């Protein structure tokens, strides 16, 4: 008899996403959507835009005072966002 490779549906979906080159954009989208959750509702309220460019999350803030505070927490936020998504998606955050 022959052996069958048994895979879960999750493994099949992830494999299919990888093969089609859709895994990274999906993870990036999840990370951008996780920004207000990880940063907190107050920071989320003062965020006008968040996008990813070259493994850097670019966050546009409406309050300049928040930039300094969040810049001090940059490495902590990168680690929390990557952990929230479950993959190494970004390496840095830039606040504008």
């Amino acid at each position: 008899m022959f052996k069958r490779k048994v895979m879960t549906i999750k493994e099949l979906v992830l494999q299919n996403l990888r093969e089609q080159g859709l895994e990274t954009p999906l993870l990036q989208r999840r990370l951008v959507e996780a920004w207000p959750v990880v940063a907190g509702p107050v920071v989320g309220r003062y965020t006008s835009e968040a996008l990813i460019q070259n493994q850097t999350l670019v966050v546009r803030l409406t309050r300049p005072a928040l930039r300094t505070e969040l810049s001090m927490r940059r490495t902590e936020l990168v680690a929390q966002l990557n952990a929230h998504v479950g993959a190494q998606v970004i390496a840095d955050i830039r606040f504008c």
Side-chain angles (χ1 to χ4, degrees):
M1 276 217 231
F2 57 92
K3 285 186 176 181
R4 292 185 184 191
K5 184 178 179 186
V6 179
M7 296 176 74
T8 64
I9 293 176
K10 179 181 178 181
E11 292 170 338
L12 286 171
V13 169
L14 288 175
Q15 179 184 3
N16 191 15
L17 287 172
R18 256 184 236 115
E19 288 172 358
Q20 294 184 14
L22 299 173
E23 183 182 30
T24 301
L26 178 65
L27 290 173
Q28 289 177 345
R29 171 112 175 139
R30 285 184 185 164
L31 190 130
V32 168
E33 289 175 354
W35 168 251
V37 175
V38 172
V42 175
V43 176
R45 197 172 335 137
Y46 294 117
T47 300
S48 64
E49 183 182 15
L51 55 101
I52 297 178
Q53 294 177 342
N54 299 327
Q55 291 189 329
T56 301
L57 178 65
V58 179
V59 180
R60 299 196 195 288
L61 300 169
T62 57
R63 300 283 179 185
L66 278 176
R67 289 183 194 137
T68 3
E69 180 182 337
L70 292 174
S71 292
M72 290 186 281
R73 296 181 47 209
R74 177 179 285 147
T75 55
E76 173 189 346
L77 289 169
V78 168
Q80 287 177 349
L81 285 165
N82 285 329
H84 188 83
V85 175
Q88 179 71 26
V89 178
I90 60 169
D92 197 15
I93 301 178
R94 190 176 76 212
F95 300 103
C96 303

